[in-house]
Amino acid sequence: MTCSEFVELVTAYLEGDLDPDTEARFVEHMALCEGCERYLDQFRTTIDRLGALPEETLSEPARGTLLNAFRDWHAG
Ligand SMILES: [Zn+2]
């Protein structure tokens, strides 16, 4: 699994929508990739604050900002 795949699957993972095979690969990537682990942590924190998945409130620009921040982590 690549980092961009991971980012795409975060919402489905938190909703429990991944099939067992994909979830296993997702968890495996998280164990190996510090950037993605932090991304998931941030995502969870956001959800805790909102009390719901941010799907509805996360506009495309906000999503782009998150993905850019994510790339910066990897670049650093
Ligand atoms: Zn990653």
Side-chain angles (χ1 to χ4, degrees):
M1 179 174 294
T2 66
C3 292
S4 55
E5 278 178 320
F6 184 96
V7 170
E8 289 300 317
L9 293 173
V10 162
T11 306
Y13 171 74
L14 292 173
E15 286 179 332
D17 278 350
L18 294 180
D19 61 76
D21 208 55
T22 308
E23 186 172 327
R25 291 195 299 126
F26 183 95
V27 171
E28 188 180 272
H29 183 91
M30 184 166 41
L32 296 172
C33 182
E34 196 183 330
C36 285
E37 193 181 6
R38 281 164 61 185
Y39 179 83
L40 182 63
D41 270 357
Q42 281 220 339
F43 208 89
R44 274 208 178 106
T45 304
T46 305
I47 292 163
D48 283 349
R49 226 177 272 144
L50 294 175
L53 284 174
E55 206 170 359
E56 299 290 323
T57 54
L58 201 61
S59 62
E60 276 306 313
R63 197 178 142 80
T65 302
L66 274 178
L67 286 173
N68 281 337
F70 177 76
R71 281 195 204 97
D72 287 347
W73 291 336
H74 276 258

